[in-house]
Amino acid sequence: MKETILEQEILLLKGLARNDKKSTEEIYKQHYNLIQALVVNNSGTADDARDIFQEAMVVLFEKARSGTFELNCQIKTYLYSVAKRLWLKRLQQQSRFTEEWNDSGSQVKVDEDLEVHEQKDQEYDLMHHSIQHLGEPCKSLLEAFYFKKKSMLEIAETFGYTNAENAKTQKYKCLMRLKKIFFSQYKK
């Protein structure tokens, strides 16, 4: 049975939410040129277009992963709307915005989605800043566990703890310290 365009797009979104490489590549293949044309035709470069497309894909990924996102338009329309808002904002930040705007794509309202995306970006930046100020050995210990996916036994051997339980206790103390640094900055 042949799928409708909307069914195909919903399948692509579900694939994107699962980190399915084929779905991500298909969305990229179908829509990158549109976003590139938007950026390049409005004072941007090919590098700018890649950055904006990547950011728009992150917004779409976050929406797809939320579980509450209902696709009410084509993926192309959603990505175009997000990319346009992101590009306009970047042009305004760089004082490069001109009244001449070459706009040929259809759009949907995405302001709220971008606010959520920007809030998360700020929180990631704050977390990165907090990790940088955590100090050693906590910084390396948490990176070993969360980013390098090392087991507590491996961490115990690497950091010289007598056993995995001691390493686990130290990880907990480091997490509490990180949490304290993060939230002291978060409230500001």
Side-chain angles (χ1 to χ4, degrees), residues 38-39 42-44 48 52 55 80-103 107 110-111 114 118:
L38 168 75
V39 172
N42 291 289
S43 309
D48 294 329
I52 292 296
E55 274 194 68
Y80 186 87
S81 300
V82 170
K84 180 180 175 185
R85 297 280 301 152
L86 290 169
W87 184 234
L88 279 171
K89 187 173 182 177
R90 185 172 296 176
L91 287 175
Q92 288 169 343
Q93 288 171 342
Q94 297 172 349
S95 302
R96 292 174 42 202
F97 178 72
T98 63
E99 292 300 322
E100 286 183 39
W101 182 259
N102 187 355
D103 194 1
Q107 298 171 54
V110 294
D111 292 343
L114 290 177
E118 288 171 3

Side-chain angles (χ1 to χ4, degrees), residues 8-108:
Q8 291 172 359
E9 300 234 315
I10 289 172
L11 287 175
L12 284 176
L13 273 183
K14 286 181 178 176
L16 181 65
R18 291 189 316 266
N19 272 337
D20 175 51
K21 188 177 176 183
K22 284 179 94 175
S23 297
T24 304
E25 287 174 351
E26 186 62 31
I27 292 171
Y28 189 95
K29 191 172 85 180
Q30 287 180 12
H31 307 298
Y32 178 74
N33 288 339
L34 176 70
I35 304 306
Q36 184 179 32
L38 168 75
V39 172
V40 169
N41 292 334
N42 291 289
S43 309
T45 64
D47 285 342
D48 294 329
R50 278 190 287 277
D51 289 347
I52 292 296
F53 186 79
Q54 187 62 34
E55 274 194 68
M57 283 292 287
V58 169
V59 172
L60 181 63
F61 174 75
E62 289 171 348
K63 292 298 286 184
R65 296 273 311 223
S66 74
T68 58
F69 182 55
E70 288 184 33
L71 187 63
N72 296 321
C73 61
Q74 290 184 321
I75 290 174
K76 170 176 79 174
T77 304
Y78 187 83
L79 280 175
Y80 186 87
S81 300
V82 170
K84 180 180 175 185
R85 297 280 301 152
L86 290 169
W87 184 234
L88 279 171
K89 187 173 182 177
R90 185 172 296 176
L91 287 175
Q92 288 169 343
Q93 288 171 342
Q94 297 172 349
S95 302
R96 292 174 42 202
F97 178 72
T98 63
E99 292 300 322
E100 286 183 39
W101 182 259
N102 187 355
D103 194 1
S104 59
S106 58
Q107 298 171 54
V108 292

